[in-house]
Amino acid sequence: PTLIMTGEYDTLAAEMDHVAEMLATAGVTVAWRRFAKTDHGFTHCPPVETAREAIALIGAHLSTAFSRS
């Protein structure tokens, strides 16, 4: 499974949308989330609440992925 997270103002957001679509078309399970009012690197800067939410999402995704092994 793949987790793709982008910020609303991230210059790579459109490219990552395309990557998510390509992976899904290839049969890969894709979780995709765009965080509002954020830029690239939003997990390392304010707003702290958004960063914490994103980091929690990463943790949950990894936990689920590794529990399948």
Side-chain angles (χ1 to χ4, degrees):
T2 301
L3 172 63
I4 295 177
M5 301 185 313
T6 58
E8 179 178 2
Y9 309 125
D10 192 331
T11 56
L12 300 175
E15 288 177 64
M16 295 313 296
D17 291 345
H18 181 67
V19 169
E21 290 173 10
M22 287 185 350
L23 289 170
T25 299
V28 175
T29 301
V30 179
W32 173 86
R33 172 83 188 273
R34 178 159 300 154
F35 286 84
K37 300 179 183 178
T38 60
D39 203 341
H40 191 81
F42 62 91
T43 58
H44 296 79
C45 57
V48 174
E49 297 80 18
T50 302
R52 286 184 178 150
E53 182 181 354
I55 291 167
L57 182 60
I58 294 166
H61 183 79
L62 289 171
S63 179
T64 299
F66 285 112
S67 69
R68 293 180 187 166
S69 302

